[in-house]
Amino acid sequence: EHSQQQPPAAVSTSSCDVFTSPHALNLSSFTKLMKKLQEIHPAATRDEIVAALLEVRKNNKGVLSGLSINNIVDKTSAVL
């Protein structure tokens, strides 16, 4: 019985890792995206870039997921 109780605990730990992992990936992707956009548009402020990203998200049914980073960069650059 004890060995049957341990695997759910291990599965539970894995679930926690799954929940934290996407947040880390999103932050990493956002950081890469901001860096790329700042390189392309050095005159744009961080706030302007974020505002342009928000507009791209709004125009894409409120989400950026499903778009490649290059696609987001292109759409954001068009706004900027």
Side-chain angles (χ1 to χ4, degrees):
E1 289 179 26
H2 291 287
S3 64
Q4 289 177 348
Q5 289 175 353
Q6 287 176 350
V11 170
S12 175
T13 302
S14 295
S15 296
C16 290
D17 291 343
V18 170
F19 285 118
T20 47
S21 204
H23 293 296
L25 290 173
N26 288 340
L27 183 58
S28 173
S29 295
F30 178 77
T31 302
K32 288 178 188 173
L33 187 58
M34 287 299 293
K35 185 177 178 186
K36 191 175 271 195
L37 286 165
Q38 287 171 329
E39 288 171 0
I40 296 169
H41 305 283
T45 66
R46 181 177 172 85
D47 288 345
E48 289 170 336
I49 293 171
V50 170
L53 279 168
L54 290 173
E55 187 170 330
V56 169
R57 185 178 74 176
K58 184 181 78 173
N59 294 339
N60 195 54
K61 300 177 186 172
V63 293
L64 290 176
S65 59
L67 296 174
S68 69
I69 288 188
N70 286 338
N71 198 343
I72 295 170
V73 167
D74 291 344
K75 290 175 183 268
T76 306
S77 293
V79 172
L80 289 168

